[in-house]
Amino acid sequence: MSDAPGAVRLDVDGALAHLVVSRPHKRNALDPAAAADLSSALGGLEEAVAAGRVRAAVVTGQGSAFCAGRDITGVDPAAEDPGRVLADVFNPLVQRLADLPVPTVAAVEGPALGVGLGLALACDLVVAAEDARFGSPFARLGAVLDSGAHLLLAERIGRPRTLELVYTGRLLTGVEAHAWGLVTATAAPGRALAEADALARTLADGPTLAFAASKRLLGRLRDEGLDLAAVLAAEADAQRAAGSSADYAEGFAAFQAKRAPRFTGA
């Protein structure tokens, strides 16, 4: 199925959803209308996840770009509060994507810049074309790195490399991003979506309740600065909850019977 035509569409194929930014004439840069479409599509995705229909999601852009950032065509910088634009429009989109309780994979062709970088890194995993471009050329605008990238970059590549990209405005290729640990895997140009789909379908067939528990725990570790004792206790609580699930029973039964498990997310 697909939602109504717009700048962003949500396609659901079985347990896998695709969130697709569709402004190829603008390299999938987001203007206010596209941001509203993305919010609506995220709402549909959240509903499908909550209903148990979707167990993994791929985020991508139509054509040869992932998302070149905010579309600033016609924007008068003297007439707006850029902090308010972030707080009201773009930051909630990054947060909602990061908060999805199912595995998410970004499929990146071409540029992932500015808010596009934030959206890509808000996904759990990133599959990038070898000639993709990651970064934020904000040094040329006198602007500050945004869309969560101070954290989302630094937790993947560390503070010094994050600052290098901030100071220089240099863009990383998909190959460089993989070498730095920024992306999960690379693909030949034009193949990022196919590779991301294959990965996401494998994840959708997995024990997604357990995956969600791990995702929550990693979020708490980052947000609350948990020490080892707190992590051990939280893991025990999560394992206790997982132990009452059908997937847990199925996983044990399959392992003991030496067969492939058939997880349902229940």
Side-chain angles (χ1 to χ4, degrees):
M1 63 167 247
S2 175
D3 71 348
V8 181
R9 70 176 191 269
L10 174 65
D11 301 325
V12 177
D13 179 12
L16 181 63
H18 290 88
L19 198 63
V20 185
V21 182
S22 183
R23 300 187 80 216
H25 60 295
K26 290 288 188 176
R27 299 167 77 202
N28 296 321
L30 300 176
D31 64 1
D37 283 349
L38 178 53
S39 179
S40 178
L42 276 168
L45 178 55
E46 289 162 343
E47 291 176 5
V49 169
R53 298 193 304 273
V54 166
R55 290 162 49 80
V58 173
V59 181
T60 194
Q62 182 179 341
S64 61
F66 179 77
C67 173
R70 180 189 177 197
D71 184 354
I72 59 173
T73 303
V75 172
D76 178 0
E80 71 168 18
D81 176 351
R84 180 56 56 194
V85 172
L86 287 174
D88 290 350
V89 179
F90 294 110
N91 289 355
L93 301 176
V94 174
Q95 187 70 62
R96 289 169 66 189
L97 181 55
D99 287 346
L100 285 171
V102 294
T104 53
V105 183
V108 178
E109 297 279 352
L113 310 179
V115 67
L117 176 67
L119 292 172
L121 299 186
C123 294
D124 302 325
L125 308 175
V126 181
V127 177
E130 295 168 344
D131 58 354
R133 292 289 186 273
F134 293 88
S136 286
F138 289 170
R140 298 196 294 273
L141 299 174
V144 176
L145 189 67
D146 61 26
S147 303
H150 284 93
L151 174 64
L152 299 174
L153 272 175
E155 69 181 3
R156 286 172 166 83
I157 65 175
R159 182 176 183 272
R161 279 178 161 168
T162 297
L163 285 174
E164 177 190 342
L165 297 182
V166 169
Y167 293 160
T168 65
R170 183 163 78 87
L171 304 182
L172 297 178
T173 67
V175 172
E176 290 171 320
H178 186 248
W180 280 25
L182 184 64
V183 307
T184 311
T186 57
R191 291 285 303 167
L193 180 57
E195 297 293 337
D197 272 5
L199 174 58
R201 289 190 186 280
T202 298
L203 299 177
D205 287 338
T208 47
L209 286 177
F211 291 164
S214 289
K215 192 169 178 175
R216 286 193 300 271
L217 277 170
L218 287 168
R220 287 187 60 195
L221 180 61
R222 178 183 67 196
D223 298 339
E224 301 175 24
L226 303 181
D227 61 15
L228 179 59
V231 171
L232 290 170
E235 287 173 344
D237 289 342
Q239 198 72 284
R240 187 174 301 110
S244 65
S245 70
D247 276 355
Y248 191 91
E250 165 62 11
F252 265 70
F255 181 84
Q256 292 165 344
K258 296 182 172 56
R259 60 171 174 80
R262 295 181 290 273
F263 294 120
T264 64

